Amino acid sequence: MILVVNINPSLDIVFYTQKFQKNKVNRSYKEEMIPGGKGINVAKTLKAFGEKVKIIGFCGGSTGIILKEELNIRDIDYEFVETKGKTRFAIGIKEDKKKYLYCIKRSWK
């Protein structure tokens, strides 16, 4: 088993839209919640290569609950220390005809 330390996990939320327009209301046709953060991304990659992994770190709040649910769906083992604050999140907007993703992250100071 490989132990992955992820001090600062993230819940990445991606909205898919046909065309993204600035200063307009944009409607998504699909949404995804994806466990993220560098350590979690390493663990997902190791799991894809058949390795048994366990993530340890910190998480909390409503985003932490969703993060753990998403890790359970992906059958990735974890042990988090619960925090009073919320686990961070990032929002991505994926436009169908573009190869890139608009990403909005909160500045954590």
Side-chain angles (χ1 to χ4, degrees):
M1 175 184 289
I2 298 173
L3 189 63
V4 178
V5 179
N6 194 161
I7 302 298
N8 195 15
S10 174
L11 180 64
D12 300 339
I13 305 163
V14 180
F15 295 91
Y16 294 85
T17 184
Q18 291 179 341
K19 183 173 169 98
F20 180 70
Q21 299 175 28
K22 287 196 265 184
N23 301 320
K24 302 271 184 180
V25 174
N26 291 274
R27 304 264 183 230
S28 65
Y29 62 84
K30 180 173 101 171
E31 302 80 31
E32 281 186 297
M33 292 192 195
I34 305 165
K38 290 185 179 49
I40 289 178
N41 291 340
V42 167
K44 290 190 297 187
T45 302
L46 289 168
K47 186 173 185 322
F49 283 104
E51 297 292 337
K52 187 170 173 147
V53 296
K54 182 171 188 169
I55 301 166
I56 61 170
F58 302 93
C59 81
S62 55
T63 48
I65 291 168
I66 297 168
L67 175 72
K68 291 187 280 188
E69 289 172 356
E70 293 296 323
L71 288 170
N72 287 334
I73 289 168
R74 289 161 176 79
D75 196 30
I76 298 174
D77 193 20
Y78 60 84
E79 189 171 321
F80 289 117
V81 174
E82 294 293 323
T83 62
K84 289 183 182 179
K86 290 183 182 178
T87 298
R88 70 185 175 113
F89 63 93
I91 295 174
I93 301 168
K94 176 68 176 86
E95 187 176 344
D96 285 349
K97 296 182 181 178
K98 305 278 173 123
K99 292 183 180 181
Y100 54 86
L101 180 75
Y102 301 98
C103 189
I104 303 165
K105 294 184 179 184
R106 179 173 183 235
S107 176
W108 297 92
K109 295 182 181 182

